[in-house]
Amino acid sequence: MTEPIQIKTKLAGNPSQEPQFKTYVKSKDGRQIPVADPRATRVLVSLMDMNAVLGGAASHYGGPAALAELMSALHGHVFDVSSRVKKQWYEMFHLINDAGHCENGLYALKANYGMAGLTLDSLKKFRSIESGLTGHGEVHCFPEGVFISNGPLGSAFPQSQGVAMGEAIAGTNRVTVTTISDGACMEGEAKESFAAIPGLAQKGKMGPFVLIISDNNTKLSGRIDAESFSMTPTFESLKALGWNVITLQEGNDLQKCYDTIVNAIETAQANPKMPVVIHAKTVKGIGTKKTIESASGGHGFPLKSPTELAAFLGEIYGGEALLPIYNMWIDELHKWEAEIKASGVKDSGEKIQTGVSAAMIRARKAGLPVLSVTSDLPGSTGVAGFRKEFPHDSFDVGIAESNMVSTAAGLSKLGYIPVVDTFAQFGVTKGALPLTMGALSEAPIIAIFSHTGFQDAADGASHQALSYMAMVSSIPHVDVYSLSCSEEADALVSAAIENFAKARKNGEVPNSSIFFLGRENFPKSYVTPSSYDLRKAQILVDTTSGKNGKCVTIATTGSLVPQALKAAQDLEAKGVGAIVVNSACVNHIDVATFKASLEKTQGQLITVEDHQLIGGFGQMLTHALLQADVATLKVKSLGVHGEFGQSAYTAMDLYRKHKVDAGAIVEAAGSFFQKSQAW
């Protein structure tokens, strides 16, 4: 036995009270065990989701609704066992959630128990910048309630493998219980753990391990078997891999969930050499007819207004009168909605994604062999329009981003123009090696990676790609673009597809093109008329005339273009001129345009990006300028200083916190002139 360094846990201990909203299950010895009422979990999830929606954030209902009975039963058993032996629950168990989109159900459950410092009021700030209750479970924001961070599907499950291995090495043998969704089981990381855990367990290298799979045949884009392929063979293979498979057909029957979980834990404890998996058939979106019958099982929260809440929650409770505390919460939401309507400004912009879809459709109609290869997120990335118009040229490989990129590379080798899509965080982390191997195979692709930087505000740090440029810009034969508006997206994606086809027809190997874009609405364009070039930077504003040398160049890209333009306005009001340069291509710098701009602004340059400063646009730009012998260069670079993000209702909250907003740009400009007292 190898003794590990003792790390004091940050997790909250046993709850000091029974759930505020409770029901009971019957133990094997005939006792009535109080557990969180699954209906209350669904109601609390709905209420906290409504808070998030009013704040401007997306949220999830379907997944936590499906897991409500399983989580109530699991926690009820764990708390009962630990209290009877007078130990803290974490001294006996590791409870790990891989299904990050279901974390709000666990927040609701913990608040129901009044544990980990949570109350019902604390749920009301879910996904806001003021709360540690991020969109997905994150240790750095909520260590009292999260042991292993989750978010990207299939990422916490492999870490739980290491936890169980550590238990065996130390000889402590706490039971590791991990929960995962069926969609996450499509990820390569998860499939590796499916094979490794029973293999290592047979060698005595794993502590007791229980895996709970919530199988409802549903992912974001719809039913798994209809949209991609059936997972039944994967689940049937678990027995052959060495798992003790317990099938739970009624995964939303609370008593059956409790009995099955107790049996699984006791079985795993009795024989750690055979891990146990509970294959539970659940109903995603259970609670209301609308969510059950929707294609995605109510993956996101379906309601837009608190006026719909009373009927929605009433259906969850089967027509019973709602508790006064729920009605009070609904009343608060009504008042907040009224305030928003009274003070709100209508967003006249549009999604950058509109231009992506338009470019792909036009190219396919022109006869170019464009194919869409997706991994579950086409509605979010902008390719859904193409897929609807050309279903026979569209493929869904499941929730498997690495496989998506590699599949596209294979199609490229046969003369197709494959376009892949996912969130930026998943595309660059899981796609970097396949992109490299595709380049080595002379198999270029086109990638649409959305929700860059802090644009995926509500989902939190695990979904916020803050190293996306750094991760792919240095891969040979890969061109990296950051899009700022739908018109630019249309023009540049079109040009990339056309150049790809032209190079192939000439017997040449084109570069891969990766397009990064935001999530929120942006103006359709910033300059009229506009011209776009894949390799040329764009001057959006020049207010240097008559400023007597009191000027700066503001260099930016992608989602921060509006902040740079706002800063230029604010600076002009202070008598400072600015040239705003939008550099869509981030790893091939248009030195000539920047050099000319810097000559007009005395070499005073501000770079701004929602990306880590290390390896980001600012570093690539300034290095290129220094290499080009730009003589006078005074630089202020704004970006993220080696930190993770967190959830917020909108990206603007995070731009302000990390000082990459218009105000921060103005402040940086001021630093050039304060010494001369010209500010």
Side-chain angles (χ1 to χ4, degrees), residues 338-387:
E339 292 171 5
I340 292 170
K341 288 181 177 179
S343 60
V345 178
K346 187 176 180 181
D347 187 347
S348 60
E350 67 179 25
K351 301 287 186 187
I352 299 173
Q353 285 83 339
T354 303
V356 171
S357 186
M360 291 175 65
I361 290 170
R362 191 168 54 253
R364 185 68 192 88
K365 286 182 175 179
L368 298 180
V370 176
L371 303 178
S372 167
V373 185
T374 192
S375 57
D376 192 40
L377 295 170
S380 300
T381 59
V383 306
F386 175 90
R387 296 175 66 82

Side-chain angles (χ1 to χ4, degrees), residues 47 50-51 54 305-311 326-342:
L47 289 165
M50 192 78 255
N51 275 82
L54 287 183
S305 168
T307 58
E308 305 170 86
L309 267 175
Y326 297 155
N327 286 319
M328 288 174 59
W329 194 334
I330 293 173
D331 288 342
E332 289 178 20
L333 289 164
H334 280 304
K335 291 176 183 176
W336 187 19
E337 183 182 46
E339 292 171 5
I340 292 170
K341 288 181 177 179

Side-chain angles (χ1 to χ4, degrees), residues 76-330:
H77 173 63
V78 165
F79 296 152
D80 175 57
V81 169
S82 56
S83 65
R84 283 192 290 122
V85 298
K86 295 185 173 14
K87 287 187 176 182
Q88 296 295 340
W89 68 268
Y90 52 72
E91 296 178 282
M92 303 180 68
F93 297 92
H94 296 292
L95 302 184
I96 296 170
N97 177 37
D98 185 284
H101 52 283
C102 302
E103 193 73 31
N104 51 349
L106 293 176
Y107 298 152
L109 184 146
K110 290 179 172 70
N112 194 356
Y113 277 99
M115 64 181 295
L118 295 186
T119 64
L120 297 190
D121 277 344
S122 64
L123 297 180
K124 297 173 184 177
K125 293 294 185 179
F126 170 57
R127 288 196 168 209
S128 78
I129 200 167
E130 304 165 55
S131 174
L133 304 186
T134 53
H136 300 266
E138 294 170 5
V139 175
H140 75 295
C141 291
F142 186 36
E144 302 88 353
V146 180
F147 183 53
I148 286 180
S149 298
N150 55 52
L153 298 182
S155 61
F157 175 32
Q159 290 189 48
S160 73
Q161 172 185 320
V163 168
M165 289 173 67
E167 289 298 321
I169 297 168
T172 43
N173 286 318
R174 283 175 283 191
V175 182
T176 300
V177 184
T178 301
T179 307
I180 193 169
S181 68
D182 48 356
C185 294
M186 305 180 90
E187 289 281 13
E189 286 179 274
K191 290 181 177 178
E192 291 171 10
S193 293
F194 277 143
I197 289 172
L200 292 167
Q202 288 172 14
K203 292 176 171 286
K205 295 184 177 181
M206 297 286 295
F209 195 97
V210 176
L211 179 67
I212 301 173
I213 299 173
S214 176
D215 177 11
N216 41 63
N217 188 34
T218 314
K219 57 191 182 76
L220 178 57
S221 60
R223 304 303 172 182
I224 291 175
D225 57 3
E227 294 292 324
S228 50
F229 53 85
S230 173
M231 286 294 288
T232 299
T234 295
F235 297 138
E236 289 177 345
S237 72
L238 296 179
K239 182 177 180 180
L241 287 171
W243 290 84
N244 181 348
V245 180
I246 300 175
T247 301
L248 174 59
Q249 289 293 343
E250 293 122 330
N252 294 113
D253 182 305
L254 181 59
Q255 185 63 52
K256 289 181 179 178
C257 288
Y258 179 82
D259 294 340
T260 303
I261 287 170
V262 171
N263 177 39
I265 289 174
E266 291 177 350
T267 300
Q269 288 174 313
N271 182 16
K273 288 193 172 185
M274 180 172 279
V276 179
V277 58
I278 299 172
H279 180 204
K281 301 293 284 187
T282 58
V283 179
K284 191 169 184 182
I286 190 170
T288 77
K289 186 174 185 290
K290 179 179 180 179
T291 48
I292 290 173
E293 293 180 353
S294 71
S296 67
H299 183 86
F301 189 57
L303 307 186
K304 303 300 181 186
S305 168
T307 58
E308 305 170 86
L309 267 175
F312 191 81
L313 304 189
E315 188 176 351
I316 290 173
Y317 264 97
E320 293 180 19
L322 293 179
L323 297 172
I325 195 167
Y326 297 155
N327 286 319
M328 288 174 59
W329 194 334
I330 293 173

Side-chain angles (χ1 to χ4, degrees), residues 501-558:
K502 183 179 179 181
R504 282 300 202 198
K505 290 174 182 177
N506 290 338
E508 302 167 353
V509 181
N511 281 1
S512 288
S513 295
I514 301 180
F515 293 94
F516 292 107
L517 55 148
R519 171 186 178 271
E520 298 175 0
N521 284 5
F522 295 86
K524 184 175 181 179
S525 64
Y526 297 100
V527 179
T528 304
S530 296
S531 62
Y532 301 96
D533 188 299
L534 285 168
R535 292 293 180 91
K536 190 167 180 60
Q538 188 183 44
I539 302 294
L540 298 180
V541 165
D542 184 343
T543 61
T544 58
S545 178
K547 299 301 190 301
N548 298 319
K550 193 176 174 184
C551 306
V552 296
T553 293
I554 304 171
T556 192
T557 183

Side-chain angles (χ1 to χ4, degrees), residues 469-485:
M469 298 179 199
M471 284 186 170
V472 294
S473 288
S474 62
I475 299 175
H477 312 303
V478 172
D479 300 331
V480 179
Y481 303 92
S482 184
L483 301 173
S484 63
C485 63

